[in-house]
Each structure stands twice: as C-alpha cells, then as structure tokens.
Amino acid sequence: MAGRHTPKTVLAHLISRRDQTYSEIVAEFVELGGTITERHLRRLASGERAGTTPQTRRTLQKMFGKPVEELLAPYQPEQAATSVALVPAHGGRISTGNEMEVLDMAASRARAFALAAQTGLGNEAMEQVYDDVRHVAKAYPQRPLPEILGQLVETQDLVFALLESRQRPEHLRQLYFLGGVTGGLLAKASHDLGNPHAAMTQARTAFLCADNADHHGLRAWVRGLQSLVSYWAGNPHDSVRYAQLGAGYAEQANSTTGVWLPVSEARAWAALGNADAARAALERAENAWNNVQGDELDEMGGLCTFGRNRQLYYAADALAWLPGEVDTAESYSRQAVDAYTDQSHPEWAFGDAAGSHAAMAITRIAHGELDGAADALAPVLGLPAERRINGVVHSARRVHQALRQSGHAADARELQEEIEMFTRTPIQSFPR
C-alpha cells in the first residue's frame, strides 16, 4: 500500500485506497502518456508542491477522475472520495483533438520509459536529459513563462532525483552541470515573477552545482544571473559585485559570459551615476569578443548564451541612465530595436526586445520627442499579462520616471496613465 498515515491531500487519500506502491502508480501514469517521477508524485500527494504541467494535470485527472485543484486540496475525512478506475493504456483511443499533443504525450512516455528502465543512466538516457534541459533553455526567452514553468520545475526535479540516486561516476559531473543550468533558469523564473529571494536561493544552489561540476563557464553564468537579479531588485552595488566575482571564471571559460558580465556591470555603474566606470565596462565587454570561443553552456543556446543583440540592449539600457550619453544611448537603442525585429531569429527574446523599446523611449523623452517616445513604447504596452515579467514592468516604470523628470509631464499625462495601467497587471496577476 502507498501509506496508512492521515493523508494530507485528496490525492494522497485516493492513492492510499489503491493496493499499489507509488512506483506502480508512476508506471501506470507513464502508460497513460504522462511523465512524472516517484519523488514528484510523493511531493504532490504530501502537499509540498502544487506546480504541474498541463500534461501532468490531464493525466492525473484521467487517473483519478477529479480536477487537479481538487486532488491537491487538503483532505477532509467527511469528503471521502472514491477512486475512478484507470483508463486502459491500450484498450481505448486517447483523443485530445490535437495530433501534436498526442505526439508530445507519446514522446514523454518514451522518455520516461528510457530513463526508468535503467538502474544507472546510459549514454542515450543522459543525452535525453541534456535534450530536456536544452529545450527549456532555448524556449525560455521566447515563450511566456506560464507555458514552460511547469516543465522547467519537473526537469529540475528529475535531475535532482537522478543525483540523489546511484549513478555512474562519469555521469555525476554531467548531472551537476545540468542541475546548475536548471537552477539558473529557475533563478531567472523567480526573478521574472518578482521574487528576488527565491531567485537568489536558486542561484546559490546552481553555483553549488557548478562547483561540483567544476565548470568555470557555469560559475560565471550564475554570477551573471545574480548580477541581473540584484540590478532589477534595485541593488546596483550588489550587481557590480556579482559581475566582478564572475569575471575570473569567465576569463578561464572563454565563453560569452566574458561579454555578459562586464556589460551587466556597466548598467549597474550607470544606475549609480558613475559614467566613467560604465563606459569602461562597456569597452571591456566589446573587447571580450576577441577571446570568446564558446563552451558547452553556450551550446545550450537560448538563455544560456549571450549574443550581440543582448549586448546592444544592455548598452542602451545602461547609457539611458546617463544624461550625458543620450545620443549614444539612442544609437544603441535603435540598433537593439532593429536587431529584435525578426521574431524568428534564434536570439530573439521578448523581454530584451521590450527593454530595447523602453530605452529608446527614454532617449526620445530626453530630446523632448513625446510622440516618438509613445511610439517606441507602444509594443511594450501591448504585451499581454503573461509576458509582463519583472524586468519589462521595471523598464516601463523607468519610462514613467523619465517623463516625470523631463519637465513635460503635463503634456504626457495620457502616456503616463497607460504605463500605470500596464504596470498594475504584471505576470504575477496572470491566472496560472
């Protein structure tokens, strides 16, 4: 039996009524096309975790005949529920009305089987885990966070579960590397949802994984994330410190973190009003391209690498703080906006595109071009709530601040009101 203690959730109660172990329930979960680890199922049943992917929610509902919200609710004995029999894995047709969804379910089942069928990861299974992490890293900058957060959490859960089980020594370093990457991605997700404390907790664990993997590029990347979180949390001194802490690792890695860290330092110095330090850091970032060779983290793509487009955006964002650099900031922002026009480009990222438009709006305000500022900010104000991540909202607020300080506030009341309305509904308010 799965357990005889007082169940914490309705799901735990229904599991306890089955003459099955958790591992047997997981096996049937996979038969129905889902993907879940025994550890994740236990944490859902105990109430320790509520996050699930759409696929997991569908499969749980199919297994137990109740909505996930009800399954994960606290168990009340007077509401004793009965379990619904499993849908036969091969006795009927699974139909969702979406053929691609069916194929995704089949791929998830194949993935779970390949990983569960081995006592220690083989090379094929290790490549599958790599592919899972690589997929999320590439998707992160381009897709709304609610669409990928569940997958990201489950991927981290899988990597941690594999690290906690017995693995071949040659795979431990690889798993710690992937644990650092997923932790870094979740640090970014926590930041995007406006939770810097959770972001730093994830980042510290990611750095621990980077140490265990002995990976300089990963260490530098995590320091870059800590610099980013500190910058948007309004702690520019910490942002400078983390960027500088990662510099030595970046130099040894010869990866694109060698560009990311100084350009991150530049915008933190600019936020502090230190124009000389900001310009010097931007110059170091440009010179760093001469040493970039790339590493396995860069090969992940997406959020794991730093390209020219992001450099243009960061430079524009930095110089927009400095009154004496308006013309240079305008040039960088124009280049950045142009660079992010093509949404099919591998480097396209909706958050960086929005930040580039905000920087352009600030430079136009400095020139007294209020209509031009409104035009530049229009694509940002048109973003739906699921794309209003923390950095995007703060960028819009910086435009609002620039309008207040410009002396043209009376002429820009309509734009200010639009910004205020936009920032009232950040991603935290999006129903998930």
Side-chain angles (χ1 to χ4, degrees):
M1 297 289 289
R4 298 185 181 279
H5 60 282
T6 302
K8 300 283 187 174
T9 64
V10 173
L11 176 61
H13 167 70
L14 295 178
I15 289 175
S16 71
R17 292 173 63 89
R18 292 172 173 238
D19 189 20
Q20 293 174 295
T21 64
Y22 272 87
S23 61
E24 289 171 338
I25 292 173
V26 167
E28 290 189 293
F29 191 97
V30 172
E31 285 292 318
L32 286 172
T35 302
I36 199 169
T37 63
E38 182 177 334
R39 179 172 179 262
H40 190 195
L41 179 62
R42 287 184 180 276
R43 294 178 73 180
L44 288 174
S46 67
E48 295 179 23
R49 171 165 289 176
T52 57
T53 64
Q55 182 186 77
T56 297
R57 291 195 290 272
R58 289 193 299 269
T59 308
L60 285 172
Q61 182 168 333
K62 192 179 298 180
M63 289 183 73
F64 296 99
K66 294 181 179 295
V68 169
E69 291 76 12
E70 184 176 340
L71 290 172
L72 301 184
Y75 170 67
Q76 302 294 336
E78 64 271 15
Q79 297 176 351
T82 58
S83 175
V84 175
L86 280 169
V87 176
H90 303 291
R93 180 186 176 206
I94 297 176
S95 177
T96 65
N98 187 325
E99 288 75 10
M100 293 304 296
E101 185 176 305
V102 172
L103 291 175
D104 285 342
M105 291 172 65
S108 294
R109 180 187 173 195
R111 165 187 171 276
F113 173 79
L115 295 176
Q118 306 177 62
T119 56
L121 282 177
N123 290 333
E124 290 295 325
M126 190 72 245
E127 180 56 33
Q128 178 63 63
V129 182
Y130 257 98
D131 192 56
D132 289 345
V133 178
R134 189 183 300 113
H135 174 75
V136 181
K138 287 183 176 180
Y140 194 110
Q142 301 188 345
R143 291 173 56 188
L145 184 55
E147 291 184 9
I148 62 172
L149 183 58
Q151 181 184 359
L152 177 54
V153 169
E154 289 192 3
T155 301
Q156 184 192 54
D157 196 58
L158 171 64
V159 173
F160 283 176
L162 291 171
L163 281 168
E164 290 168 353
S165 61
R166 182 173 296 178
Q167 298 296 337
R168 300 172 185 174
E170 63 267 26
H171 288 151
L172 280 177
R173 178 199 165 276
Q174 294 171 298
L175 287 170
Y176 274 119
F177 170 76
L178 295 175
V181 174
T182 56
L185 294 174
L186 277 167
K188 180 64 163 59
S190 300
H191 154 70
D192 285 342
L193 289 170
N195 190 339
H197 174 73
M200 284 301 190
T201 299
Q202 289 283 358
R204 293 184 191 102
T205 301
F207 194 85
L208 173 66
C209 289
D211 269 345
N212 285 332
D214 194 22
H215 197 287
H216 293 312
L218 184 56
R219 290 184 178 109
W221 183 69
V222 174
R223 291 303 190 210
L225 288 167
Q226 290 173 310
S227 179
L228 178 150
V229 171
S230 299
Y231 173 74
W232 289 114
N235 302 314
H237 286 289
D238 283 343
S239 182
V240 169
R241 179 170 62 87
Y242 281 120
Q244 293 176 343
L245 282 173
Y249 298 125
E251 185 177 352
Q252 296 179 74
N254 292 322
S255 67
T256 59
T257 58
V259 180
W260 187 26
L261 290 168
V263 82
S264 297
E265 183 183 342
R267 64 180 187 174
W269 280 126
L272 290 167
N274 191 328
D276 290 339
R279 284 192 294 266
L282 287 175
E283 185 175 353
R284 291 201 311 274
E286 182 59 35
N287 293 336
W289 283 113
N290 297 326
N291 300 317
V292 170
Q293 298 175 8
D295 64 358
E296 63 180 324
L297 187 62
D298 284 318
E299 291 173 1
M300 286 275 178
L303 199 63
C304 292
T305 190
F306 191 85
R308 286 280 188 179
N309 291 359
R310 288 177 72 192
Q311 183 189 8
L312 291 171
Y313 155 55
Y314 272 57
D317 188 50
L319 296 174
W321 285 100
L322 304 172
E325 298 290 341
V326 173
D327 290 340
T328 308
E330 183 178 28
S331 175
Y332 273 116
S333 67
R334 185 171 59 253
Q335 293 177 69
V337 166
D338 289 343
Y340 283 109
T341 299
D342 183 4
Q343 296 189 15
S344 65
H345 193 283
E347 287 188 34
W348 185 80
F350 71 85
D352 295 342
S356 301
H357 278 274
M360 176 180 281
I362 291 172
T363 64
R364 289 180 175 178
I365 291 168
H367 285 301
E369 301 171 5
L370 299 187
D371 289 341
D375 290 341
L377 198 62
V380 181
L381 300 180
L383 288 173
E386 62 267 28
R387 294 200 171 191
R388 297 179 193 178
I389 57 177
N390 192 36
V392 170
V393 170
H394 274 75
S395 293
R397 286 176 178 157
R398 277 186 63 191
V399 178
H400 192 285
Q401 179 183 359
L403 287 169
R404 292 199 313 270
Q405 297 173 346
S406 68
H408 301 291
D411 300 323
R413 179 174 177 178
E414 184 177 345
L415 179 56
Q416 285 182 305
E417 289 177 349
E418 288 182 33
I419 294 172
E420 290 167 10
M421 185 176 299
F422 174 84
T423 58
R424 285 194 202 108
T425 53
I427 190 174
Q428 296 95 312
S429 66
F430 180 74
R432 294 183 293 280

